[in-house]
Amino acid sequence: MSPVKMNVLPQAILQSPGEHPRFVKQPVCPPLDFARIHLIKDKDGIDDYLAKNIKGLSKQEAAANRNSYTKNICIDMLRRGYHKSFSELFTLIQKWNALREAAGPGSAIWHEKSLEEQPDKLDQLYHFLTRAEAAQRAGLYEEVYDNQLNLACSFEEPEDKWLSDYFYEQCFNTAQLVKIDGGKRKAQAHVNMGLINEGHGHVMEAAEHYEAFYQLTEGSSWTDETGHTYNLLACEHLWRIYTLLADKMLENKEHQEAIKTLIKALKMAKEAGNVKMEGEAAYCLSLAYHFSGEQQTALSILNTSLAIFTALRDSAGLGRAYAAAAKILASQGKSAEALKYLGEFMKDAENAHLSQSVVDANVLLGKVHNERGNYIEAFEYFSQASEAARTLNSVPLVDETKAYCGIAKAHQLMVAFNSHVAAEDPVSLKYLLAWKENRSDMCADPLTVELDKETSASKPL
Amino acid sequence: MAGRPRCELCGSRPAPRLCPRCRLVRYCSALPCVSLQKSIVEVAVSAAQRFLWEGKALEALPAALQALRFSARVFGWSSVQLVPVYLLLAEASTGTGNLRQASKYLSEAEWIVLQSPDCPAAVQSRLHRGLGLFCIAQGNLDQALYHLATDVYLATSAFGVDSIEVSGGYFHMANIFLRQNKVDVANSLYTEVTRLWHSWLLSSLQEHQGRLRRLRARAEAAPWADDEEVAEEGMTEAQGEEARRVLQALLGVRKKQQLPQETARVLHALAMLHYLDLDLEKAREVGMKAFDLAKELPQQDSLETIGHLLELINANFSHTK
C-alpha cells in the first residue's frame, strides 16, 4: 500500500499507514475433505486415494475426476443450496479475468495464476462464503461480517489486494446491518475503508471514514489484537490524513484552511499521546503559519517542536525544525538571531553527542554566513561539518558537506575575481588570464601569487 | 397484397417453382431437401413441446420420434442437435410412466455429449436438467440435486450469473429442498428465481415499449411504406410458457407463507407477463393485486414500478375498447 505523496510538507514525517489493523486472529481454514482427485498426478497416488476413501467410483466421482477443481467446488456449493456463495465466487473469477484482459499481455497480472488455478484460495472462499450465506439466511449479520472479515484478512499478498479490498467493502456493507455490538463492527469497517481509500489517493473520502471511526470509538474500550485501543488508532489515522489534506491545501495556497486542518492534526496527535507525532504536527503547523506570513506565531509554535525533538533526541526532526527556524528568521531579516538559535543547536547537539545534529548545525550555520557574505566563516563551518560527517561513515553526507565547502570557496574566489573584472584595466586582465591557465583548487589565493610574481617581475622600471 | 411471391419454406424472393400438387404454393429455385426436413423437425419439436405443456405426454411421443428421425437424417445420429430431441423423448416417456425407456433416451443423449468434445455448455446444462428431473421422478433426490447443480454451473458459464437460463435449475432445486423440509434454503432459492424472472420481464417490457415507439415513429415518418412484418425479437413461446408455469408455482408456494413482499413481486412479474402476452384483462387483475399488497409494505420501492405498469395497461385498454 503506497502512501499518498506530499508536495509541500516533508514526506519523511509520515510513516506508511501500514497494514490493516488486526481485529481478528489470523483465520485458519480447515482443508476440504472431498476429492481433490484431479490434482493427484500419478497412478499410485490415485490408487492410494481410492483405497482410503472410495469403495469403487460412483458416477459422480468419475465425473469429479474429469472436472476442474473450480467446477467441483461450484457444484458442491450449489447442491448444498449455497447459491449466493456460488454466484459470488463465479463473479470473482470473472472479475479477475476481466482485470487481466484489461491489463493486457506483458503486465504483472498476465503471468499470475488465476483463482481457478489456486485450490487453496478456492478452499478458503468455499469455507467462509458458505458460512456467511448460512448466517445471512438466519439473519445473523454479525456472523456474516465475521466470515467476510476472515476472508479479507486471509488474502494478504499484494497480488490479492483486489480480493481483500472487495471483502473489506462487503464487510462495510454488512456492518451497517449489525445492531447488537454497539457499533464495534461498523467502526472496524470504517477504518478499513479509510485505508483502502487512502491507498487509492482519495484523501477526502478516507478522512470521512476515519472521522466516523473516531466518533464511533470515542469513550469505548475496544482494543485490537496488539492491545491498542480503537480510539488511539483513530487519532493516529486522523493526524496522518489531516496532514495529507493540509499538504494539498498548501499546494493550492489555501493557507488559512491548511492552518485550521493542521490545528486539528495537532489536537489528534496530543490525544493519541504520541510525543513524536506531536512534534511533527507542531512543525507542520509552524510551516503553515510561515507560508501564510505569520512569522511570530510560526516561531513560537516551532519552539514547542524543538523542545520535543530535543527531549526525544530525534536528529531528523531537529535538523528539519532548526532549518525551518533559520528560514523564518531569515525572512524576518533577523540573521543575527538566527545565528543565536543555531549556536544553541550546536551546543545542544554536542552535549547530547548527536553527530548527525552536529553536522546539521554546522551546515545551517555555514549557510547563514554564506547568505550574509561571510565566506570565510561559512567555509570554516562547512569544513567542521565535513569532519563530523566523516565520523558517521556516511559517504553521501560527506559528499554533501564537501559540496558546501566548494560553494563557500567559490564564493570567496568570486570576490577577488569580480573586482578584477570590474577594474577593466589591462593589468587585471593579465591576472585573470594567468589564473585561468594556472587553475588550482588549493586554499592559497592564486591571484595574489600571480600578482606578486608580476609586480616583482615588473619592478625594475 | 399481390406482391412478388415468396418461397413457402425459406421466405426468399424470387420463387419461380410452383408446387406440382396444389399449383398454388411457390418455392425458390434451390429446393433443398435439407431445409424442408429442418422445418419438419421444427414443427415436430414444437408440437411435441406443446403436447407436453398440455400434459398430453402420450400424444407427444410420436411427434418427438418424428423429430428424432428427421434430425438424424439431417445432422447424423451423433450430432449434438439430437440432444434436445432425446430430452423431449425422455420427458414424454417419464410422463407416460415408462421410466426405463426414459432412462434409455437420456443415456443416448449423455453418450452424444460425452462424444462431442466441443459440445456447448448450454446443451450440456439442458442435459443435466433432464437428468435431474428424471432423478426426481425416480425419487432419487440427492442425485437430482447433483445434476441440477451441474445444470446451473453450466448455464452460468454459458449465459452469465444473472441470466434467465439459470433460473430453471434453481427452481427445481428449490422444490427438492422444500420436499426435504429445508425451508430457509428453499425460500432463498425461490427468492432468487423470482428476482431473475422479475428483472427479465421488466427489461423485456422496456424493450417492447422501445420497439413500439420505434414502429410508431417509423409509421409517422413514412406512412406510405410497405407494411412489412418486423421480426418480433421478444419472448419466445418456450420462454413465455416456462415463465407462466414457474410464476404460477411460485405464487402457490408464497401464498402458503407469510411473505407479502415476495408475493407482491411474483404478482408484479405475472402482471408483466400477461401484458406481454397481450392478455390485458388478466394483466390488470393481477396488477391490482400486486399494487394492493405493495401498498401495505414498509418499503415502497416497488410501488412506483407497479403503478407505471397499471397506467400502461389502462392506456392500452382504452385503445383496444
Side-chain angles (χ1 to χ4, degrees):
Chain A
M1 209 184 314
S2 56
V4 180
K5 291 268 179 291
M6 296 221 286
N7 295 315
V8 179
L9 299 169
Q11 188 76 34
I13 67 176
L14 296 183
Q15 287 107 34
S16 155
E19 309 163 336
H20 286 267
R22 285 236 171 274
F23 291 128
V24 289
K25 293 203 181 29
Q26 188 63 25
V28 171
C29 164
L32 292 181
D33 48 4
F34 66 85
R36 279 203 197 187
I37 191 164
H38 83 295
L39 290 176
I40 305 172
K41 298 288 178 210
D42 58 294
K43 187 182 180 302
D44 288 337
I46 293 183
D47 286 345
D48 190 42
Y49 179 86
L50 288 177
K52 283 197 197 125
N53 293 307
I54 298 168
K55 296 176 182 54
L57 279 178
S58 73
K59 210 167 146 183
Q60 284 180 38
E61 279 142 350
N65 197 359
R66 273 193 291 273
N67 293 337
S68 67
Y69 193 55
T70 310
K71 190 170 175 183
N72 283 336
I73 281 210
C74 287
I75 291 175
D76 200 74
M77 273 180 178
L78 282 164
R79 70 193 296 195
R80 293 170 60 193
Y82 293 116
H83 65 99
K84 290 208 167 95
S85 306
F86 163 70
S87 296
E88 204 167 351
L89 177 60
F90 201 88
T91 309
L92 283 170
I93 292 175
Q94 282 186 322
K95 194 169 176 180
W96 187 89
N97 289 334
L99 283 172
R100 185 173 179 265
E101 280 299 315
S107 61
I109 192 177
W110 193 261
H111 302 288
E112 281 169 21
K113 278 192 183 169
S114 73
L115 267 179
E116 297 175 271
E117 295 163 308
Q118 300 185 64
D120 290 330
K121 290 211 176 102
L122 289 174
D123 284 348
Q124 277 178 315
L125 285 163
Y126 179 98
H127 180 79
F128 291 112
L129 281 176
T130 51
R131 286 161 67 120
E133 189 171 350
Q136 193 207 24
R137 273 194 232 128
L140 300 170
Y141 292 109
E142 62 282 1
E143 270 189 47
V144 180
Y145 173 94
D146 290 341
N147 281 299
Q148 288 170 334
L149 185 64
N150 272 324
L151 277 171
C153 293
S154 57
F155 296 120
E156 289 182 316
E157 302 297 310
E159 63 261 17
D160 294 331
K161 182 166 174 347
W162 69 280
L163 199 50
S164 104
D165 280 359
Y166 169 83
F167 282 111
Y168 278 126
E169 275 180 55
Q170 296 296 97
C171 282
F172 182 74
N173 295 333
T174 308
Q176 312 307 315
L177 302 168
V178 178
K179 307 285 178 213
I180 67 161
D181 66 350
K184 185 174 181 185
R185 288 176 175 82
K186 237 198 218 171
Q188 292 177 353
H190 270 296
V191 72
N192 284 321
M193 286 309 292
L195 283 162
I196 290 177
N197 273 298
E198 194 182 336
H200 290 139
H202 305 146
V203 187
M204 287 292 333
E205 287 89 338
E208 279 170 29
H209 281 294
Y210 290 141
E211 277 168 354
F213 180 48
Y214 177 81
Q215 274 154 17
L216 282 167
T217 56
E218 233 179 329
S220 80
S221 55
W222 300 320
T223 55
D224 69 359
E225 290 288 307
T226 64
H228 292 120
T229 64
Y230 284 15
N231 204 244
L232 179 75
L233 289 173
C235 293
E236 290 181 357
H237 287 306
L238 276 174
W239 165 76
R240 192 183 60 256
I241 210 73
Y242 286 146
T243 310
L244 285 168
L245 277 170
D247 182 70
K248 292 230 166 8
M249 293 167 186
L250 287 172
E251 231 187 316
N252 298 332
K253 310 266 187 263
E254 296 163 354
H255 295 132
Q256 291 310 312
E257 289 301 316
I259 288 171
K260 275 197 214 135
T261 310
L262 286 167
I263 289 176
K264 283 202 281 190
L266 183 56
K267 175 165 170 281
M268 283 297 125
K270 285 193 182 143
E271 231 179 278
N274 185 329
V275 189
K276 177 162 160 64
M277 214 177 256
E278 203 185 320
E280 303 287 9
Y283 166 76
C284 293
L285 184 56
S286 81
L287 270 186
Y289 276 120
H290 166 62
F291 288 135
S292 84
E294 296 169 62
Q295 310 298 357
Q296 234 11 71
T297 325
L299 203 53
S300 76
I301 293 189
L302 197 56
N303 284 330
T304 330
S305 194
L306 288 170
I308 291 178
F309 287 138
T310 312
L312 287 175
R313 295 168 56 86
D314 182 347
S315 295
L318 279 171
R320 261 185 276 119
Y322 270 112
K327 213 163 60 158
I328 293 171
L329 288 164
S331 70
Q332 290 176 306
K334 298 181 182 166
S335 44
E337 179 118 16
L339 287 172
K340 212 174 78 177
Y341 252 82
L342 294 172
E344 292 285 324
F345 184 21
M346 176 79 91
K347 238 186 12 200
D348 290 339
E350 279 165 354
N351 289 341
H353 302 290
L354 288 171
S355 315
Q356 177 67 47
S357 295
V358 170
V359 174
D360 291 335
N362 273 304
V363 167
L364 286 170
L365 280 161
K367 278 188 182 171
V368 176
H369 282 292
N370 192 35
E371 295 285 313
R372 296 176 87 183
N374 310 338
Y375 299 125
I376 299 176
E377 288 92 333
F379 182 75
E380 244 178 70
Y381 279 113
F382 288 139
S383 313
Q384 277 171 240
S386 205
E387 286 300 316
R390 255 179 270 266
T391 68
L392 281 172
N393 282 323
S394 160
V395 173
L397 194 59
V398 171
D399 285 346
E400 195 184 327
T401 50
K402 277 209 251 180
Y404 281 125
C405 292
I407 292 171
K409 204 85 201 71
H411 281 161
Q412 231 181 314
L413 280 171
M414 282 295 278
V415 177
F417 185 85
N418 283 346
S419 68
H420 280 285
V421 170
E424 290 185 17
D425 60 55
V427 176
S428 303
L429 195 56
K430 268 205 203 143
Y431 294 152
L432 285 171
L433 288 171
W435 176 72
K436 282 237 180 214
E437 274 172 38
N438 176 29
R439 203 87 81 101
S440 70
D441 54 10
M442 285 167 50
C443 291
D445 188 345
L447 272 173
T448 48
V449 167
E450 279 305 317
L451 202 52
D452 287 334
K453 255 209 252 165
E454 282 281 345
T455 45
S456 55
S458 60
K459 262 254 166 63
L461 262 171
Chain B
M1 170 113 135
R4 286 180 298 153
R6 288 179 187 272
C7 167
E8 193 61 37
L9 282 180
C10 66
S12 64
R13 294 180 169 127
R17 292 177 103 216
L18 201 54
C19 169
R21 278 226 206 130
C22 66
R23 302 194 70 77
L24 273 175
V25 176
R26 288 189 168 267
Y27 299 101
C28 64
S29 52
L31 178 64
C33 209
V34 170
S35 111
L36 179 59
Q37 290 179 12
K38 272 189 190 172
S39 44
I40 292 178
V41 169
E42 272 171 42
V43 167
V45 162
S46 26
Q49 184 66 76
R50 223 168 276 130
F51 279 129
L52 282 171
W53 286 334
E54 291 166 15
K56 298 177 180 161
L58 200 53
E59 284 94 324
L61 276 170
L65 283 166
Q66 195 75 313
L68 185 66
R69 214 169 290 136
F70 279 95
S71 291
R73 232 185 263 181
V74 175
F75 302 111
W77 282 101
S78 354
S79 160
V80 165
Q81 303 276 13
L82 267 60
V83 172
V85 187
Y86 274 125
L87 292 176
L88 272 176
L89 279 164
E91 198 182 332
S93 304
T94 312
T96 63
N98 190 349
L99 292 185
R100 245 176 96 218
Q101 189 59 44
S103 171
K104 285 195 186 150
Y105 287 132
L106 285 170
S107 300
E108 293 284 354
E110 250 189 297
W111 181 244
I112 294 177
V113 168
L114 276 174
Q115 296 288 79
S116 322
D118 42 353
C119 175
V123 175
Q124 288 184 56
S125 99
R126 279 282 160 181
L127 170 66
H128 279 279
R129 188 169 314 174
L131 288 166
L133 291 172
F134 180 67
C135 288
I136 295 178
Q138 279 185 316
N140 190 347
L141 296 183
D142 281 331
Q143 184 83 331
L145 278 174
Y146 165 76
H147 281 299
L148 291 168
T150 313
D151 162 18
V152 168
Y153 175 81
L154 291 162
T156 311
S157 313
F159 300 105
V161 169
D162 278 337
S163 62
I164 201 62
E165 288 79 359
V166 172
S167 69
Y170 279 150
F171 177 68
H172 294 296
M173 285 173 78
N175 290 340
I176 295 178
F177 283 121
L178 195 61
R179 266 165 79 171
Q180 292 179 325
N181 212 18
K182 297 181 181 157
V183 181
D184 50 351
V185 182
N187 273 338
S188 176
L189 282 164
Y190 284 134
T191 306
E192 181 67 10
V193 175
T194 311
R195 186 186 74 82
L196 286 168
W197 275 114
H198 184 267
S199 76
W200 187 83
L201 283 164
L202 204 55
S203 59
S204 295
L205 189 61
Q206 284 164 353
E207 267 175 53
H208 176 83
Q209 296 302 102
R211 257 200 308 276
L212 281 179
R213 273 195 293 271
R214 282 197 296 278
L215 274 175
R216 250 174 245 145
R218 211 184 296 165
E220 274 167 31
W224 55 83
D226 259 352
D227 191 18
E228 288 180 11
E229 270 180 47
V230 181
E232 269 292 298
E233 290 156 27
M235 207 162 49
T236 66
E237 198 185 356
Q239 282 170 327
E241 183 61 35
E242 191 182 345
R244 217 167 290 124
R245 300 171 133 216
V246 170
L247 289 171
Q248 288 293 359
L250 281 169
L251 196 58
V253 169
R254 291 313 190 190
K255 274 191 173 149
K256 292 192 203 136
Q257 304 167 327
Q258 290 300 319
L259 293 170
Q261 189 174 22
E262 283 305 309
T263 316
R265 188 95 79 91
V266 179
L267 286 168
H268 185 191
L270 262 172
M272 286 193 277
L273 180 62
H274 289 312
Y275 177 81
L276 288 167
D277 266 346
L278 304 175
D279 187 346
L280 293 176
E281 279 275 5
K282 262 221 179 122
R284 181 150 72 176
E285 185 194 328
V286 177
M288 286 306 306
K289 278 196 208 155
F291 191 80
D292 290 334
L293 256 181
K295 258 194 309 193
E296 310 291 317
L297 293 174
Q299 283 152 326
Q300 306 224 319
D301 37 356
S302 53
L303 204 58
E304 208 185 317
T305 334
I306 304 178
H308 279 316
L309 177 65
L310 284 170
E311 280 169 22
L312 197 60
I313 295 170
N314 288 328
N316 276 294
F317 240 129
S318 48
H319 255 200
T320 52
K321 285 276 190 265

